[in-house]
Amino acid sequence: MSVSEEHESIISAVTDGTGHVTEHAAEGAGRRGRWWVVTAATAVLLVLLCVRNRFLFSTRLYEDADMGANSLLIEQARHFTLLVGNYSRDHFHHPGPAYMYVQAAGESLFWAGLHVVPTAWNGQLLAVYALNAMLMALVAGIGYSWTGSVRGAAACFAAVVAFASVHPAILSTDWMPYLYVPTYIAFLVAAASVAAGRERDAWILALTGWFLIHGHACFLFFVPVITCTVLVAVLWSRRHVLGASIRSFFATQRRVWIPVAVISTVFAFPIVLNLVLHWPGQFGLYLAYTSSKKVGGHSLAQTVQDALWNWWPYRDAWVVPVAGYAVAAAVTRWLAPVRLRRFLIALLAVNAVSSLAFLYYAKSGIDVISSHYIGYFYWSAPAIMLLVVVVGVVEALPSRLGALTAIGAVALALAALAIAPGTHTSTNLSDPAVASSGADTDPALPGVVSALAARSGGRMIVLRFDHDSWPDVTGFLVQAERTGVRACVPDPTWTFIMTAQFTCTGPEIAAGQVYWLRPTAPPGSIVIGRLRQAVVTAG
């Protein structure tokens, strides 16, 4: 029977009783094979992260700073009341709570349910490891569906793991700018796959796209731009019979559009509900931000320099993308098998669209362009380029040599990730590898919360603090919430971090017991406790 070249390696392995290939059986075998690939890759990466961070199963960690602020939201997510995402330093919340619900699930399962970790934040981290491992494994699964071979999947997996070994914090920490990176890589790979004709990967495109939209307001721009590019690519070849193709798609491709519809409905629900309850909600703040004078206005040179930093943060960075595109194009044109070229070309095209979108965003949407963490997700650009080259080369080699090369590449990439210092989740800001992430813990938090609760005699604890002491306040409020101690902050300007739940009302201030958190204790004051950045004194 006649089969497309792209399915040949899968279908040739599945025959009916007469030795002839059955296309339905081949498709089923391909799906089963892909899920085995995704499951195995997820398990390998998750085990590596857990072994590398095995201290999470025995060490009590109490989060503060940004992690504490996220945990204030995660505690709401555990009660299914959270409708917004993490806070922004520009005094709004990002669109949706998807990442918070993942971490809430980890806290509830691993800490409150199974008791395999001693503290709540440890459980949140395990959920982050699982999510990141799955996202990287989905890239390998997409590679398997295009190559039809384990070596092709291994080549994809080796490429993304090798990239992660250079930036290991994208897998090992829960700081939001890092979390976007594996999601965005999987989103771009899924976008390329769908654009190249593999429509059944649309659910991955939808899942990762919605996660990104929930995570940061900038993806309200990136996700639609790239999704529209994919739609144009898919529809262009059918432009002469567009109406019939669309009707046929909805009539026969239920396995494609029903998962996309379900995923979109679930992820859109909290955003829409928040808009209905609090119109115009966070979107009014987004519009105010984008129309303000503090965003954009950067020169073309600044914009290009910011984009190039993500390729190579040193001198002559322009050489890396130029050489990368040249090598990737050459591998695609002259080395890669014909059956793979459409996918590899789509990867290069989607990467180019993402790069152009990033240049526009850097020029018009970023306020402080020197704050590179805002665009960490654009590390995807060199990662996609590496993926194209590795997969193209491995698939061009003879079967046995290609398999050995892919296995060796996976082993080396996993070894590099395992020994990378940043793969160990840091809990100390003195670690330069993650000093910018704000990831820190403070073992003094439970004791200070207990001491203030004992002194307050059941009255509301009112926390006043200097600006530089806010990281300690988020940690205090999280521990107070988990132990049933009532506490709040009286300054409403901090609501965007501390949330309305922990912003004092007038009666609470009047009836409460006031305490101060400051870098140093004023002369004559009573020091009750010492936290990471502040001393706690009676008000």
Side-chain angles (χ1 to χ4, degrees):
M1 68 182 265
S2 172
V3 297
S4 63
E5 190 170 7
E6 66 192 45
H7 292 122
E8 184 177 347
S9 58
I10 297 175
I11 295 177
S12 62
V14 184
T15 63
D16 60 17
T18 64
H20 293 95
V21 176
T22 58
E23 187 172 1
H24 178 74
E27 184 178 353
R31 284 200 299 270
R32 289 191 297 272
R34 182 162 84 156
W35 283 115
W36 276 112
V37 165
V38 171
T39 301
T42 300
V44 167
L45 206 48
L46 181 57
V47 168
L48 186 153
L49 290 169
C50 287
V51 171
R52 190 72 169 83
N53 296 283
R54 54 192 177 276
F55 69 94
L56 293 178
F57 297 96
S58 59
T59 305
R60 292 183 174 274
L61 300 171
Y62 302 97
E63 70 276 29
D64 62 7
D66 281 352
M67 308 305 111
N70 286 346
S71 287
L72 293 176
L73 300 176
I74 290 166
E75 293 306 308
Q76 294 181 34
R78 291 187 67 204
H79 296 90
F80 299 98
T81 60
L82 182 64
L83 299 178
V84 296
N86 54 292
Y87 85 91
S88 166
R89 58 184 171 79
D90 294 298
H91 291 221
F92 55 73
H93 283 263
H94 292 293
Y99 286 104
M100 303 296 127
Y101 275 100
V102 169
Q103 291 173 263
E107 179 179 330
S108 295
L109 177 63
F110 300 116
W111 174 63
L114 299 178
H115 306 292
V116 297
V117 292
T119 48
W121 188 54
N122 303 35
Q124 295 175 22
L125 281 172
L126 292 184
V128 167
Y129 295 167
L131 175 63
N132 289 337
M134 182 198 71
L135 291 168
M136 291 300 201
L138 284 174
V139 174
I142 293 172
Y144 178 82
S145 67
W146 276 97
T147 63
S149 64
V150 174
R151 68 169 178 169
C156 289
F157 190 58
V160 292
V161 172
F163 166 76
S165 70
V166 178
H167 301 291
I170 68 171
L171 299 181
S172 65
T173 69
D174 59 348
W175 193 43
M176 298 308 296
Y178 289 135
L179 283 179
Y180 308 141
V181 181
T183 313
Y184 193 63
I185 291 172
F187 172 72
L188 293 182
V189 174
S193 183
V194 175
R198 188 79 54 176
E199 293 174 348
R200 66 172 179 242
D201 289 333
W203 73 269
I204 304 176
L205 180 67
L207 179 68
T208 53
W210 276 108
F211 258 110
L212 292 168
I213 287 174
H214 274 232
H216 198 286
C218 77
F219 294 111
L220 291 167
F221 166 67
F222 282 91
V223 172
V225 165
I226 292 169
T227 301
C228 288
T229 302
V230 171
L231 286 175
V232 170
V234 170
L235 297 176
W236 179 252
S237 61
R238 307 171 185 176
R239 62 191 181 278
H240 299 301
V241 289
L242 187 58
S245 295
I246 292 175
R247 288 192 297 271
S248 174
F249 173 79
F250 284 102
T252 63
Q253 298 296 319
R254 293 182 179 86
R255 287 183 176 178
V256 174
W257 64 262
I258 288 180
V260 170
V262 171
I263 290 169
S264 298
T265 300
V266 171
F267 277 80
F269 177 75
I271 299 176
V272 173
L273 182 58
N274 190 58
L275 279 172
V276 171
L277 295 177
H278 308 289
W279 179 263
Q282 301 301 309
F283 285 80
L285 300 177
Y286 303 156
L287 292 174
Y289 171 78
T290 56
S291 60
S292 67
K293 294 183 178 179
K294 68 179 184 178
V295 299
H298 310 299
S299 68
L300 181 60
Q302 289 175 313
T303 301
V304 172
Q305 184 178 9
D306 181 54
L308 289 175
W309 182 92
N310 294 280
W311 287 83
W312 183 255
Y314 306 106
R315 292 183 58 185
D316 298 322
W318 63 270
V319 174
V320 179
V322 170
Y325 264 99
V327 172
V331 168
T332 300
R333 175 64 180 85
W334 288 294
L335 281 182
V338 174
R339 58 187 165 80
L340 272 184
R341 288 180 187 170
R342 189 172 183 179
F343 175 52
L344 299 183
I345 290 171
L347 279 170
L348 295 176
V350 167
N351 208 21
V353 172
S354 173
S355 297
L356 292 174
F358 185 83
L359 286 172
Y360 176 81
Y361 171 61
K363 182 171 178 56
S364 306
I366 294 178
D367 49 1
V368 183
I369 201 166
S370 59
S371 298
H372 293 299
Y373 70 87
I374 297 173
Y376 278 176
F377 65 90
Y378 185 58
W379 282 340
S380 60
I384 297 295
M385 207 63 60
L386 178 65
L387 179 66
V388 170
V389 173
V390 171
V391 174
V393 169
V394 167
E395 284 294 305
L397 296 174
S399 179
R400 186 180 297 273
L401 179 59
L404 292 174
T405 302
I407 292 171
V410 170
L412 289 174
L414 289 172
L417 180 63
I419 65 174
T423 307
H424 184 281
T425 299
S426 176
T427 59
N428 190 337
L429 281 177
S430 63
D431 182 352
V434 293
S436 63
S437 73
D440 210 347
T441 62
D442 189 348
L445 280 167
V448 171
V449 171
S450 298
L452 267 60
R455 291 177 60 94
S456 302
R459 298 166 65 188
M460 175 68 76
I461 296 173
V462 179
L463 299 177
R464 295 188 180 276
F465 56 95
D466 291 349
H467 181 278
D468 291 343
S469 299
W470 75 264
D472 294 317
V473 177
T474 64
F476 185 99
L477 292 176
V478 170
Q479 296 309 313
E481 170 72 3
R482 289 174 180 155
T483 54
V485 176
R486 297 193 305 144
C488 64
V489 297
D491 187 350
T493 59
W494 287 94
T495 300
F496 76 104
I497 291 182
M498 311 300 174
T499 76
Q501 177 183 355
F502 297 101
T503 302
C504 302
T505 63
E508 288 172 338
I509 297 174
Q513 179 67 49
V514 176
Y515 299 93
W516 270 94
L517 280 78
R518 287 176 278 214
T520 57
S525 61
I526 300 174
V527 176
I528 302 171
R530 297 181 182 275
L531 295 174
R532 184 166 61 88
Q533 295 186 9
V535 294
V536 183
T537 62

